Amino acid sequence: METVILVVVIALVAVVAIGGLVVGSRRKKKLPPAPPSTPTITAPPAEPHVGDEAEEPHDEPRRTIEEVGLPDSGATTVAVEDTAVAEPLAPAIEIPEPTAGRLVRLRARLARSQSSLGKGLLTLLSREHLDEDTWEEVEDTLLTADVGVAPTQELVERLRERVRVLGTRTPDELRALLKDELVQLLGTDFDRAVKTESVLDTPAVVLVVGVNGTGKTTTTGKLARVLVADGRSVVLGAADTFRAAAADQLQTWGERVGARTVRGPEGGDPASIAFDAVKEGIAESADVVLIDTAGRLHTKTGLMDELGKVKRVVEKHGPLDEVLLVLDATTGQNGLVQARVFAEVVDITGIVLTKLDGTAKGGIVIAVQRELGVPVKLVGLGEGADDLAPFEPEAFVDALIGD
């Protein structure tokens, strides 16, 4: 028992000693003063007020959202700018230029080629002495203009005979003589109208064919403008599924004049798209269906066979009313090679010559007609949307030889 009491006394002494040491150490350190219970905040000087605002500010009771009245439906509301992305507007429908007399209005562009063809011929024929060397130069001028060998020989022989018989060669007489011979060489008995009326109670179907780079898709779009300008309703078939963006390009042309474009996936079956285009044209009671085919290389037998397939599939709806071959007027004799190959695959009924502005290649009109026995029906005279014109032999010759 005494032992337990002794242990307790020793423990109490130790606790008292430790407490004294802690209190002593705290007295040696100067503690920072305790912060005041409530901080004092000095407000900035109040700005002067007038009227009701001159009173001392005081707290007002706050209302909950349920207590705030909402304006009725007839109240004026503040317009809030709509930040949502607006839907793209439909393209404006254009009114194409009338086709009547287009070639006459655009003759200034054709007239640029007279410096090497028409004007060159007139200069040669105006010489005082027309010897063999002069007539050879006349032949060279015609051949350079891609008139072709046989037509050139025929034209030169007729010119020589008429000049010898007439005797006099005033500028006006020579111009009239040359114009007469060129118009006869171009042919005035061809039916140059694009067939846009079907023999059946269905839309007329026009198939547009040609080689890459001749402006075939652009020509199809411009032809749609020509037809719309003449009051015809048009459906476009984008059967060129091999060239990137060909369908987009054709659709853009169609949207500008309000013509719908039937298209399929890139790389799809062209014959199927052509078939669907005619089907849609029948359903919509359209006047004309224009089908743009792929710009096939005429040396690729497989692709040419596929073009034949497109023709056969389309003819399940009815006969083709028009097959237009698009040729680049600047390609010369190479264009004739293309024409021969296409004529073996499809029955070409008309020719469209593009890029006929400002070149010396106007004679290709004569050569290609002789080669295929079909007329040139349309000519492209520039890059403008309305630069596709019906071919008129008299106006064309006038542009070549000048007034």
Side-chain angles (χ1 to χ4, degrees), residues 130 135 158-169:
L130 296 178
W135 287 113
R158 292 170 62 175
L159 284 173
R160 294 184 69 164
E161 179 66 20
R162 294 189 64 175
V163 168
R164 183 174 58 83
V165 171
L166 289 175
T168 57
R169 298 187 304 276

Side-chain angles (χ1 to χ4, degrees), residues 289-347:
V289 176
L290 298 179
I291 300 175
D292 176 35
T293 60
R296 307 167 196 284
L297 298 175
H298 60 284
T299 56
K300 299 294 184 181
T301 305
L303 294 178
M304 296 303 293
D305 289 342
E306 188 169 349
L307 179 58
K309 176 186 174 183
V310 171
K311 177 178 179 292
R312 293 190 300 272
V313 168
V314 169
E315 287 178 335
K316 293 181 179 180
H317 289 293
L320 285 170
D321 297 278
E322 192 83 73
V323 179
L324 296 176
L325 172 63
V326 181
L327 294 177
D328 183 342
T330 64
T331 59
Q333 296 301 310
N334 187 46
L336 297 182
V337 176
Q338 299 170 11
R340 294 189 197 106
V341 178
F342 277 95
E344 295 174 359
V345 180
V346 291
D347 297 324

